[in-house]
Amino acid sequence: MIGATGYVGTRLVPRLLAEGHEVRCLVRSPQKLARTGFADRVEPVTGDLSGPLDAAFADVDAVFHLVHSMDGPGFEERDRVAARAVADAAARAGARRIVYLGGLQPPGEANSAHLGSRREVGEILLAGPVPVAVLQAGIVVGRGSASFEMIRHLAESVFGGPLVLPLPDQAWNRIRPIAVDDVVHWLTACLRLPPDVSRTFDVGGPDAPTYVDLLRGYARAAGLRRALTVPVPVVAPRLGARAIDALTPVDRALARPLLESMAYDLVGEDLDALPALVGAPPGGPAPYAEALRRALAEDGAAGPAGTDPEGAGPPELVGEHVEEVDAPVEVLWEVVSGLGGAQGWRTIPGVWAARQTIDGWLGGVGLRRSRPERLAVGEALDWWRIEGVEPGRELRLRAETRMPGVVRMRLTVEPRGPHRSTYRQHVTFRPRGLGGRVYWFTQKPAHDLVFGVTARMVAHEAERRSVES
Protein backbone atom coordinates (compact mmCIF):
# COMPACT_ATOMS: atom_id res chain seq x y z
CA MET A 1 0.00 0.00 0.00
CA ILE A 2 1.20 3.48 -0.87
CA GLY A 3 -0.23 6.05 1.55
CA ALA A 4 -0.84 3.78 4.54
CA THR A 5 -0.14 6.58 7.03
CA GLY A 6 -2.50 9.05 5.34
CA TYR A 7 -6.07 9.81 6.31
CA VAL A 8 -7.75 7.11 4.20
CA GLY A 9 -4.86 4.66 4.53
CA THR A 10 -5.01 4.53 8.33
CA ARG A 11 -8.65 3.48 8.02
CA LEU A 12 -8.18 1.09 5.11
CA VAL A 13 -5.30 -0.97 6.54
CA PRO A 14 -7.25 -2.20 9.62
CA ARG A 15 -10.16 -3.20 7.34
CA LEU A 16 -7.84 -5.20 5.08
CA LEU A 17 -6.19 -6.89 8.06
CA ALA A 18 -9.58 -7.73 9.56
CA GLU A 19 -10.56 -9.42 6.30
CA GLY A 20 -7.45 -11.60 6.43
CA HIS A 21 -5.22 -9.82 3.93
CA GLU A 22 -1.48 -9.46 4.38
CA VAL A 23 -0.45 -5.83 3.98
CA ARG A 24 2.89 -4.34 2.95
CA CYS A 25 3.32 -0.58 3.43
CA LEU A 26 5.70 1.67 1.53
CA VAL A 27 6.43 4.51 3.97
CA ARG A 28 8.83 7.43 4.11
CA SER A 29 8.63 7.65 7.90
CA PRO A 30 8.76 4.46 10.01
CA GLN A 31 8.10 6.69 13.04
CA LYS A 32 4.79 7.83 11.57
CA LEU A 33 3.85 4.23 10.79
CA ALA A 34 4.66 3.27 14.39
CA ARG A 35 2.01 5.74 15.61
CA THR A 36 -0.78 4.04 13.66
CA GLY A 37 -1.11 1.09 16.01
CA PHE A 38 -0.92 -1.49 13.21
CA ALA A 39 2.83 -1.27 12.47
CA ASP A 40 3.47 -4.67 14.07
CA ARG A 41 0.83 -6.30 11.84
CA VAL A 42 2.09 -5.08 8.48
CA GLU A 43 5.31 -5.46 6.54
CA PRO A 44 7.00 -2.05 6.31
CA VAL A 45 9.28 -1.00 3.46
CA THR A 46 11.03 2.33 3.89
CA GLY A 47 11.16 4.49 0.77
CA ASP A 48 9.07 6.67 -1.51
CA LEU A 49 7.87 6.85 -5.11
CA SER A 50 11.04 8.61 -6.27
CA GLY A 51 13.18 5.53 -5.61
CA PRO A 52 13.23 1.87 -6.73
CA LEU A 53 9.91 0.11 -6.12
CA ASP A 54 10.71 -3.50 -7.03
CA ALA A 55 11.37 -4.57 -3.42
CA ALA A 56 8.14 -2.98 -2.22
CA PHE A 57 6.07 -4.54 -5.02
CA ALA A 58 7.62 -8.02 -5.06
CA ASP A 59 5.03 -10.84 -4.85
CA VAL A 60 2.05 -8.51 -4.27
CA ASP A 61 -1.40 -9.33 -5.61
CA ALA A 62 -2.79 -5.78 -5.45
CA VAL A 63 -1.42 -2.25 -5.10
CA PHE A 64 -3.36 0.56 -3.38
CA HIS A 65 -2.20 3.99 -4.56
CA LEU A 66 -3.53 6.61 -2.14
CA VAL A 67 -1.10 9.53 -2.32
CA HIS A 68 -1.25 12.91 -4.07
CA SER A 69 1.33 15.70 -4.25
CA MET A 70 -0.57 18.93 -3.52
CA ASP A 71 2.17 20.47 -1.39
CA GLY A 72 3.48 23.13 -3.78
CA PRO A 73 4.37 24.05 -7.36
CA GLY A 74 5.07 21.21 -9.73
CA PHE A 75 2.76 18.69 -8.07
CA GLU A 76 1.35 17.64 -11.45
CA GLU A 77 4.75 16.45 -12.66
CA ARG A 78 5.49 14.65 -9.40
CA ASP A 79 2.17 12.80 -9.58
CA ARG A 80 2.77 12.00 -13.26
CA VAL A 81 6.21 10.49 -12.59
CA ALA A 82 4.90 8.57 -9.58
CA ALA A 83 1.99 7.10 -11.57
CA ARG A 84 4.34 5.80 -14.26
CA ALA A 85 6.63 4.29 -11.63
CA VAL A 86 3.69 2.52 -9.93
CA ALA A 87 2.32 1.17 -13.23
CA ASP A 88 5.74 -0.13 -14.32
CA ALA A 89 6.66 -1.67 -10.96
CA ALA A 90 3.27 -3.37 -10.63
CA ALA A 91 3.65 -4.86 -14.10
CA ARG A 92 7.15 -6.19 -13.36
CA ALA A 93 5.91 -7.71 -10.09
CA GLY A 94 3.01 -9.47 -11.81
CA ALA A 95 0.38 -7.70 -9.67
CA ARG A 96 -3.20 -8.57 -10.56
CA ARG A 97 -4.83 -5.25 -9.60
CA ILE A 98 -4.07 -1.57 -8.94
CA VAL A 99 -6.61 0.46 -6.94
CA TYR A 100 -6.29 4.24 -7.15
CA LEU A 101 -8.32 6.85 -5.27
CA GLY A 102 -8.80 9.99 -7.37
CA GLY A 103 -11.36 12.79 -7.50
CA LEU A 104 -14.70 13.34 -9.19
CA GLN A 105 -14.36 15.13 -12.52
CA PRO A 106 -16.38 18.04 -13.90
CA PRO A 107 -18.32 17.57 -17.13
CA GLY A 108 -16.60 18.81 -20.29
CA GLU A 109 -12.97 19.71 -20.83
CA ALA A 110 -12.54 22.56 -18.30
CA ASN A 111 -10.86 21.46 -15.08
CA SER A 112 -8.79 22.60 -12.12
CA ALA A 113 -5.10 21.74 -11.90
CA HIS A 114 -5.79 19.57 -8.86
CA LEU A 115 -8.57 17.50 -10.42
CA GLY A 116 -6.89 17.43 -13.81
CA SER A 117 -3.80 15.89 -12.21
CA ARG A 118 -5.87 13.21 -10.53
CA ARG A 119 -7.57 12.36 -13.82
CA GLU A 120 -4.18 12.14 -15.56
CA VAL A 121 -2.84 9.77 -12.91
CA GLY A 122 -5.83 7.48 -13.45
CA GLU A 123 -5.30 7.55 -17.22
CA ILE A 124 -1.59 6.68 -16.84
CA LEU A 125 -2.41 3.72 -14.62
CA LEU A 126 -5.18 2.51 -16.94
CA ALA A 127 -2.80 2.63 -19.89
CA GLY A 128 -0.55 0.00 -18.27
CA PRO A 129 -0.92 -3.79 -18.52
CA VAL A 130 -2.21 -4.31 -14.95
CA PRO A 131 -6.01 -4.09 -14.43
CA VAL A 132 -6.88 -0.90 -12.59
CA ALA A 133 -9.86 0.34 -10.57
CA VAL A 134 -9.83 4.14 -10.48
CA LEU A 135 -12.27 5.37 -7.83
CA GLN A 136 -13.28 9.01 -8.24
CA ALA A 137 -14.67 10.52 -5.03
CA GLY A 138 -15.75 13.97 -3.93
CA ILE A 139 -15.39 15.48 -0.46
CA VAL A 140 -14.65 12.73 2.08
CA VAL A 141 -16.67 13.32 5.26
CA GLY A 142 -14.98 12.14 8.43
CA ARG A 143 -12.98 13.53 11.32
CA GLY A 144 -9.48 14.33 10.08
CA SER A 145 -10.34 14.62 6.38
CA ALA A 146 -8.85 17.88 5.08
CA SER A 147 -12.03 18.72 3.14
CA PHE A 148 -14.31 18.00 6.09
CA GLU A 149 -12.13 19.90 8.58
CA MET A 150 -12.18 22.89 6.22
CA ILE A 151 -15.98 22.77 6.18
CA ARG A 152 -16.13 22.34 9.94
CA HIS A 153 -13.82 25.21 10.82
CA LEU A 154 -15.33 27.57 8.26
CA ALA A 155 -18.81 26.88 9.60
CA GLU A 156 -17.63 27.26 13.19
CA SER A 157 -15.89 30.53 12.28
CA VAL A 158 -18.56 32.30 10.28
CA PHE A 159 -21.91 30.92 11.43
CA GLY A 160 -23.05 32.33 14.71
CA GLY A 161 -21.42 35.62 13.73
CA PRO A 162 -22.87 37.96 11.09
CA LEU A 163 -26.50 37.53 10.14
CA VAL A 164 -25.57 38.05 6.47
CA LEU A 165 -22.70 35.97 5.12
CA PRO A 166 -21.30 36.81 1.65
CA LEU A 167 -19.82 33.83 -0.19
CA PRO A 168 -18.34 33.43 -3.69
CA ASP A 169 -21.07 32.38 -6.10
CA GLN A 170 -19.10 29.20 -6.82
CA ALA A 171 -20.25 28.00 -3.38
CA TRP A 172 -23.63 27.27 -5.03
CA ASN A 173 -22.08 24.63 -7.27
CA ARG A 174 -22.86 21.03 -6.36
CA ILE A 175 -20.63 18.34 -4.91
CA ARG A 176 -21.28 14.71 -4.04
CA PRO A 177 -19.85 14.05 -0.57
CA ILE A 178 -18.99 10.55 0.61
CA ALA A 179 -18.62 9.09 4.10
CA VAL A 180 -15.14 7.81 4.87
CA ASP A 181 -16.63 4.43 5.85
CA ASP A 182 -18.04 4.13 2.33
CA VAL A 183 -14.67 5.05 0.78
CA VAL A 184 -13.05 2.24 2.75
CA HIS A 185 -15.82 -0.16 1.70
CA TRP A 186 -15.38 0.61 -2.01
CA LEU A 187 -11.59 0.40 -1.87
CA THR A 188 -11.69 -2.98 -0.16
CA ALA A 189 -14.44 -4.24 -2.49
CA CYS A 190 -12.27 -3.53 -5.53
CA LEU A 191 -10.23 -6.60 -4.61
CA ARG A 192 -13.31 -8.65 -5.57
CA LEU A 193 -13.64 -7.19 -9.06
CA PRO A 194 -13.45 -9.64 -11.98
CA PRO A 195 -9.90 -9.69 -13.42
CA ASP A 196 -11.03 -8.34 -16.79
CA VAL A 197 -12.47 -5.14 -15.25
CA SER A 198 -10.15 -2.15 -15.71
CA ARG A 199 -11.95 1.18 -15.63
CA THR A 200 -12.97 4.30 -13.73
CA PHE A 201 -15.82 4.27 -11.18
CA ASP A 202 -17.47 7.35 -9.67
CA VAL A 203 -18.45 6.82 -6.03
CA GLY A 204 -20.37 8.98 -3.58
CA GLY A 205 -23.40 9.37 -1.40
CA PRO A 206 -27.00 9.52 -2.66
CA ASP A 207 -27.29 13.33 -2.47
CA ALA A 208 -25.44 16.18 -4.17
CA PRO A 209 -25.77 19.35 -2.06
CA THR A 210 -24.17 22.68 -2.84
CA TYR A 211 -21.06 23.77 -0.95
CA VAL A 212 -23.29 26.23 0.90
CA ASP A 213 -25.52 23.31 1.91
CA LEU A 214 -22.46 21.54 3.32
CA LEU A 215 -21.79 24.54 5.57
CA ARG A 216 -25.46 24.89 6.52
CA GLY A 217 -25.70 21.18 7.27
CA TYR A 218 -22.74 21.35 9.61
CA ALA A 219 -24.06 24.50 11.29
CA ARG A 220 -27.42 22.81 11.84
CA ALA A 221 -25.83 19.66 13.28
CA ALA A 222 -23.53 21.70 15.55
CA GLY A 223 -26.32 23.95 16.80
CA LEU A 224 -24.85 27.15 15.32
CA ARG A 225 -27.01 30.16 14.51
CA ARG A 226 -27.99 30.31 10.86
CA ALA A 227 -26.92 33.19 8.64
CA LEU A 228 -28.36 34.52 5.40
CA THR A 229 -25.87 33.48 2.72
CA VAL A 230 -25.49 35.87 -0.21
CA PRO A 231 -23.64 34.98 -3.45
CA VAL A 232 -20.88 37.36 -4.51
CA PRO A 233 -19.48 37.15 -8.08
CA VAL A 234 -15.85 37.01 -6.95
CA VAL A 235 -13.32 34.31 -7.86
CA ALA A 236 -10.14 34.62 -5.79
CA PRO A 237 -8.72 31.20 -4.85
CA ARG A 238 -5.48 32.72 -3.59
CA LEU A 239 -7.27 35.14 -1.26
CA GLY A 240 -9.68 32.39 -0.19
CA ALA A 241 -6.76 30.07 0.57
CA ARG A 242 -5.25 32.74 2.83
CA ALA A 243 -8.56 33.12 4.66
CA ILE A 244 -8.86 29.36 5.12
CA ASP A 245 -5.26 29.21 6.33
CA ALA A 246 -6.16 31.80 8.98
CA LEU A 247 -9.52 30.32 10.01
CA THR A 248 -8.85 26.58 9.75
CA PRO A 249 -6.04 24.05 10.34
CA VAL A 250 -5.91 23.34 6.59
CA ASP A 251 -2.64 24.55 5.04
CA ARG A 252 -2.84 27.23 2.35
CA ALA A 253 -1.04 25.01 -0.18
CA LEU A 254 -3.77 22.38 0.23
CA ALA A 255 -6.69 24.82 0.51
CA ARG A 256 -6.04 26.59 -2.81
CA PRO A 257 -6.45 23.55 -5.11
CA LEU A 258 -9.52 22.51 -3.13
CA LEU A 259 -11.03 25.97 -3.64
CA GLU A 260 -10.19 25.95 -7.34
CA SER A 261 -12.22 22.75 -7.68
CA MET A 262 -15.31 24.59 -6.39
CA ALA A 263 -15.62 26.22 -9.80
CA TYR A 264 -17.32 23.07 -11.11
CA ASP A 265 -20.26 20.83 -10.34
CA LEU A 266 -18.76 17.54 -9.14
CA VAL A 267 -21.63 15.07 -8.94
CA GLY A 268 -20.27 12.04 -10.84
CA GLU A 269 -21.83 9.69 -13.35
CA ASP A 270 -23.19 6.15 -13.26
CA LEU A 271 -22.84 5.65 -9.52
CA ASP A 272 -24.52 2.24 -9.81
CA ALA A 273 -21.68 0.67 -11.82
CA LEU A 274 -19.46 -0.37 -8.92
CA PRO A 275 -22.31 -1.54 -6.62
CA ALA A 276 -23.55 -3.74 -9.47
CA LEU A 277 -20.22 -5.58 -9.46
CA VAL A 278 -19.26 -5.74 -5.77
CA GLY A 279 -22.31 -4.74 -3.72
CA ALA A 280 -23.14 -1.56 -1.80
CA PRO A 281 -22.00 -0.71 1.75
CA PRO A 282 -24.19 -2.16 4.53
CA GLY A 283 -27.32 -0.03 4.64
CA GLY A 284 -26.41 1.66 1.36
CA PRO A 285 -24.25 4.72 0.73
CA ALA A 286 -24.63 7.26 3.53
CA PRO A 287 -26.39 10.58 2.80
CA TYR A 288 -24.50 13.71 3.82
CA ALA A 289 -26.53 14.13 7.02
CA GLU A 290 -25.63 10.59 8.13
CA ALA A 291 -21.98 10.97 7.11
CA LEU A 292 -21.92 14.21 9.11
CA ARG A 293 -23.47 12.52 12.14
CA ARG A 294 -20.79 9.82 12.06
CA ALA A 295 -18.03 12.39 11.71
CA LEU A 296 -19.26 14.40 14.68
CA ALA A 297 -19.64 11.20 16.73
CA GLU A 298 -15.91 10.60 16.15
CA ASP A 299 -15.12 13.78 18.07
CA GLY A 300 -15.33 11.82 21.29
CA ALA A 301 -12.19 9.93 20.32
CA ALA A 302 -9.23 10.33 18.00
CA GLY A 303 -8.90 8.43 14.73
CA PRO A 304 -7.35 4.98 14.48
CA ALA A 305 -4.64 4.81 17.13
CA GLY A 306 -4.58 8.59 17.36
CA THR A 307 -3.59 9.11 13.72
CA ASP A 308 -5.78 12.14 13.06
CA PRO A 309 -3.77 15.07 11.67
CA GLU A 310 -3.10 18.13 13.77
CA GLY A 311 -6.18 20.32 13.96
CA ALA A 312 -8.67 17.50 13.47
CA GLY A 313 -11.85 17.81 15.49
CA PRO A 314 -13.81 20.84 16.68
CA PRO A 315 -11.84 24.12 16.79
CA GLU A 316 -10.12 24.65 20.12
CA LEU A 317 -8.09 27.63 21.30
CA VAL A 318 -5.44 26.77 23.85
CA GLY A 319 -3.58 28.46 26.68
CA GLU A 320 -1.02 26.73 28.88
CA HIS A 321 1.21 27.54 31.85
CA VAL A 322 3.93 25.22 33.15
CA GLU A 323 5.85 25.64 36.40
CA GLU A 324 8.82 23.66 37.68
CA VAL A 325 8.28 23.24 41.43
CA ASP A 326 10.83 22.61 44.19
CA ALA A 327 8.45 20.37 46.10
CA PRO A 328 7.48 16.68 46.08
CA VAL A 329 4.59 15.80 43.80
CA GLU A 330 2.49 14.78 46.81
CA VAL A 331 2.72 18.29 48.28
CA LEU A 332 1.96 19.88 44.92
CA TRP A 333 -1.14 17.70 44.50
CA GLU A 334 -2.29 18.69 47.99
CA VAL A 335 -2.33 22.33 46.86
CA VAL A 336 -4.01 21.63 43.52
CA SER A 337 -6.71 19.42 45.00
CA GLY A 338 -7.45 22.10 47.59
CA LEU A 339 -8.24 24.86 45.12
CA GLY A 340 -11.67 26.47 45.21
CA GLY A 341 -14.11 27.07 48.03
CA ALA A 342 -12.77 29.09 50.95
CA GLN A 343 -9.18 28.71 49.70
CA GLY A 344 -10.01 30.38 46.39
CA TRP A 345 -8.04 30.10 43.17
CA ARG A 346 -4.76 31.76 44.17
CA THR A 347 -4.77 34.62 41.69
CA ILE A 348 -5.22 38.41 41.61
CA PRO A 349 -7.56 39.30 44.50
CA GLY A 350 -11.11 40.12 43.47
CA VAL A 351 -10.75 39.24 39.78
CA TRP A 352 -12.88 36.08 39.88
CA ALA A 353 -15.44 37.73 42.16
CA ALA A 354 -15.90 40.53 39.60
CA ARG A 355 -15.98 38.14 36.65
CA GLN A 356 -18.53 35.81 38.22
CA THR A 357 -20.71 38.64 39.49
CA ILE A 358 -21.07 39.81 35.88
CA ASP A 359 -21.81 36.21 34.91
CA GLY A 360 -24.68 36.18 37.40
CA TRP A 361 -26.10 39.35 35.87
CA LEU A 362 -26.03 37.58 32.47
CA GLY A 363 -27.98 34.60 33.79
CA GLY A 364 -25.02 32.31 34.51
CA VAL A 365 -24.07 30.51 37.73
CA GLY A 366 -22.49 33.69 39.10
CA LEU A 367 -20.21 33.68 42.14
CA ARG A 368 -21.19 30.18 43.24
CA ARG A 369 -19.13 28.79 46.10
CA SER A 370 -19.48 25.03 46.20
CA ARG A 371 -16.71 22.70 47.22
CA PRO A 372 -17.50 18.97 47.65
CA GLU A 373 -16.09 16.95 50.55
CA ARG A 374 -14.35 14.73 48.02
CA LEU A 375 -13.37 15.56 44.45
CA ALA A 376 -15.51 13.37 42.23
CA VAL A 377 -16.79 13.43 38.65
CA GLY A 378 -20.01 15.42 38.34
CA GLU A 379 -19.51 17.49 41.50
CA ALA A 380 -19.54 21.29 41.39
CA LEU A 381 -16.33 23.09 42.35
CA ASP A 382 -17.39 26.73 42.55
CA TRP A 383 -18.32 27.75 38.97
CA TRP A 384 -16.59 24.67 37.54
CA ARG A 385 -17.92 21.14 37.07
CA ILE A 386 -15.52 18.25 37.69
CA GLU A 387 -15.16 16.09 34.56
CA GLY A 388 -12.32 13.85 35.70
CA VAL A 389 -10.07 13.12 38.65
CA GLU A 390 -6.93 11.01 38.83
CA PRO A 391 -5.85 11.38 42.49
CA GLY A 392 -2.27 12.44 42.81
CA ARG A 393 -2.01 13.30 39.11
CA GLU A 394 -4.78 15.24 37.36
CA LEU A 395 -7.97 17.27 37.81
CA ARG A 396 -10.19 18.11 34.80
CA LEU A 397 -12.79 20.89 35.01
CA ARG A 398 -15.43 22.45 32.75
CA ALA A 399 -16.59 26.02 33.35
CA GLU A 400 -20.32 26.60 33.79
CA THR A 401 -19.92 30.32 33.23
CA ARG A 402 -22.13 31.88 30.56
CA MET A 403 -20.03 32.56 27.44
CA PRO A 404 -20.02 31.88 23.66
CA GLY A 405 -18.22 28.58 23.94
CA VAL A 406 -16.97 25.96 26.38
CA VAL A 407 -13.92 26.35 28.63
CA ARG A 408 -12.10 23.37 30.08
CA MET A 409 -9.10 23.36 32.39
CA ARG A 410 -6.77 20.45 33.08
CA LEU A 411 -4.48 20.67 36.14
CA THR A 412 -1.69 18.09 36.05
CA VAL A 413 1.15 17.28 38.45
CA GLU A 414 4.15 15.19 37.44
CA PRO A 415 7.07 13.93 39.58
CA ARG A 416 10.59 15.04 38.65
CA GLY A 417 12.45 13.22 41.39
CA PRO A 418 11.91 12.86 45.15
CA HIS A 419 11.85 16.61 45.81
CA ARG A 420 10.85 18.19 42.49
CA SER A 421 7.72 18.19 40.35
CA THR A 422 6.05 19.92 37.42
CA TYR A 423 2.72 21.73 37.47
CA ARG A 424 0.91 22.00 34.12
CA GLN A 425 -2.21 24.17 33.73
CA HIS A 426 -3.88 23.61 30.34
CA VAL A 427 -6.92 25.70 29.35
CA THR A 428 -8.93 25.07 26.18
CA PHE A 429 -11.77 27.12 24.78
CA ARG A 430 -14.08 25.63 22.16
CA PRO A 431 -15.67 28.73 20.57
CA ARG A 432 -19.24 28.82 19.36
CA GLY A 433 -19.29 30.65 16.05
CA LEU A 434 -17.50 33.88 15.20
CA GLY A 435 -18.63 35.49 18.45
CA GLY A 436 -16.75 32.84 20.40
CA ARG A 437 -13.51 33.55 18.58
CA VAL A 438 -13.89 37.29 19.10
CA TYR A 439 -14.55 36.66 22.80
CA TRP A 440 -11.43 34.50 23.16
CA PHE A 441 -9.01 36.87 21.48
CA THR A 442 -10.33 39.96 23.27
CA GLN A 443 -10.23 38.25 26.66
CA LYS A 444 -7.00 36.29 26.15
CA PRO A 445 -4.53 38.89 27.51
CA ALA A 446 -6.49 39.13 30.76
CA HIS A 447 -6.96 35.34 30.93
CA ASP A 448 -3.24 34.76 30.39
CA LEU A 449 -2.47 37.11 33.27
CA VAL A 450 -5.02 35.61 35.67
CA PHE A 451 -4.22 31.98 34.91
CA GLY A 452 -0.50 32.72 34.87
CA VAL A 453 -0.71 34.15 38.38
CA THR A 454 -2.65 31.07 39.48
CA ALA A 455 0.04 28.74 38.15
CA ARG A 456 2.85 30.65 39.83
CA MET A 457 1.01 30.93 43.15
CA VAL A 458 0.18 27.21 43.19
CA ALA A 459 3.88 26.45 42.69
CA HIS A 460 4.86 28.97 45.37
CA GLU A 461 2.43 27.54 47.92
CA ALA A 462 3.68 23.98 47.29
CA GLU A 463 7.28 25.13 47.77
CA ARG A 464 6.35 26.96 51.01
CA ARG A 465 4.64 23.87 52.43
CA SER A 466 7.56 21.68 51.42
CA VAL A 467 10.03 23.92 53.29
CA GLU A 468 7.81 24.06 56.39
CA SER A 469 7.44 20.29 56.50
Side-chain angles (χ1 to χ4, degrees):
M1 179 180 295
I2 305 165
T5 59
Y7 174 68
V8 173
T10 54
R11 285 150 177 79
L12 177 59
V13 171
R15 175 73 66 85
L16 293 173
L17 292 171
E19 294 191 3
H21 297 286
E22 296 179 0
V23 180
R24 180 184 297 158
C25 302
L26 177 66
V27 294
R28 288 182 294 182
S29 171
Q31 293 78 16
K32 190 173 182 180
L33 179 65
R35 293 196 295 269
T36 63
F38 52 70
D40 59 343
R41 295 183 288 152
V42 301
E43 180 186 350
V45 176
T46 303
D48 57 38
L49 294 176
S50 64
L53 298 177
D54 289 344
F57 282 41
D59 302 319
V60 299
D61 290 324
V63 176
F64 285 93
H65 185 26
L66 305 177
V67 298
H68 306 284
S69 301
M70 293 199 304
D71 52 356
F75 70 85
E76 298 100 328
E77 178 61 19
R78 289 194 295 275
D79 277 350
R80 189 178 300 124
V81 170
R84 290 170 181 154
V86 169
D88 292 344
R92 289 194 300 270
R96 294 186 293 178
R97 168 75 56 193
I98 297 173
V99 183
Y100 170 66
L101 181 61
L104 288 174
Q105 299 295 310
E109 295 299 320
N111 210 341
S112 69
H114 157 54
L115 292 177
S117 176
R118 290 196 173 193
R119 179 169 63 189
E120 183 183 16
V121 168
E123 292 171 347
I124 291 171
L125 296 175
L126 287 166
V130 178
V132 180
V134 176
L135 301 192
Q136 297 187 151
I139 286 177
V140 177
V141 182
R143 175 190 165 102
S145 160
S147 300
F148 172 71
E149 295 300 341
M150 188 166 71
I151 291 167
R152 180 212 295 272
H153 284 262
L154 283 174
E156 293 274 3
S157 299
V158 298
F159 282 85
L163 293 178
V164 178
L165 176 63
L167 290 172
D169 55 8
Q170 293 180 345
W172 274 261
N173 288 335
R174 295 192 172 275
I175 180 70
R176 191 174 295 279
I178 183 170
V180 66
D181 295 341
D182 291 350
V183 173
V184 171
H185 167 84
W186 296 126
L187 288 169
T188 307
C190 284
L191 298 179
R192 304 194 300 270
L193 284 170
D196 60 337
V197 173
S198 186
R199 55 164 293 184
T200 294
F201 296 97
D202 288 350
V203 294
D207 45 359
T210 65
Y211 291 93
V212 172
D213 290 333
L214 297 182
L215 291 170
R216 289 171 175 163
Y218 180 90
R220 185 164 51 250
L224 300 175
R225 187 177 66 186
R226 295 191 63 177
L228 175 63
T229 48
V230 178
V232 178
V234 175
V235 180
R238 181 176 297 179
L239 180 61
R242 289 182 179 274
I244 287 173
D245 188 44
L247 294 172
T248 81
V250 178
D251 183 77
R252 187 187 312 167
L254 177 59
R256 185 174 177 182
L258 293 176
L259 288 176
E260 289 174 347
S261 300
M262 288 176 57
Y264 310 97
D265 285 321
L266 301 173
V267 298
E269 300 176 352
D270 194 12
L271 272 71
D272 295 327
L274 188 57
L277 292 170
V278 297
Y288 176 59
E290 171 59 19
L292 184 61
R293 186 195 65 78
R294 296 178 192 174
L296 295 178
E298 287 186 287
D299 287 341
T307 57
D308 282 343
E310 182 179 355
E316 285 190 338
L317 304 169
V318 178
E320 185 171 72
H321 295 87
V322 179
E323 295 286 341
E324 299 299 327
V325 186
D326 290 322
V329 70
E330 297 83 4
V331 176
L332 177 58
W333 175 251
E334 181 182 83
V335 177
V336 172
S337 61
L339 289 171
Q343 178 176 284
W345 291 90
R346 299 190 179 278
T347 191
I348 302 171
V351 65
W352 280 118
R355 170 67 180 84
Q356 293 309 118
T357 298
I358 295 173
D359 181 65
W361 295 343
L362 296 175
V365 297
L367 192 59
R368 182 179 67 191
R369 291 292 185 183
S370 176
R371 180 174 174 82
E373 294 183 5
R374 181 178 66 88
L375 298 180
V377 174
E379 294 286 350
L381 181 58
D382 292 348
W383 50 89
W384 301 89
R385 184 69 58 178
I386 299 174
E387 292 195 324
V389 183
E390 297 179 41
R393 184 179 182 278
E394 186 174 271
L395 175 64
R396 299 190 298 276
L397 306 170
R398 174 175 52 81
E400 296 189 325
T401 303
R402 191 177 183 87
M403 65 184 75
V406 178
V407 171
R408 286 183 167 87
M409 182 164 63
R410 186 172 71 245
L411 314 178
T412 306
V413 302
E414 303 169 3
R416 289 290 181 266
H419 304 294
R420 288 185 60 80
S421 53
T422 298
Y423 174 59
R424 193 178 306 274
Q425 191 173 275
H426 187 86
V427 178
T428 62
F429 179 63
R430 182 175 293 180
R432 186 179 303 114
L434 182 62
R437 289 176 181 254
V438 172
Y439 170 85
W440 169 265
F441 288 111
T442 55
Q443 296 292 315
K444 192 174 188 302
H447 284 184
D448 285 346
L449 174 62
V450 171
F451 285 112
V453 171
T454 295
R456 186 67 205 111
M457 293 303 294
V458 165
H460 176 75
E461 176 63 15
E463 291 171 345
R464 184 188 68 78
R465 294 185 187 185
S466 178
V467 170
E468 291 183 352
S469 63

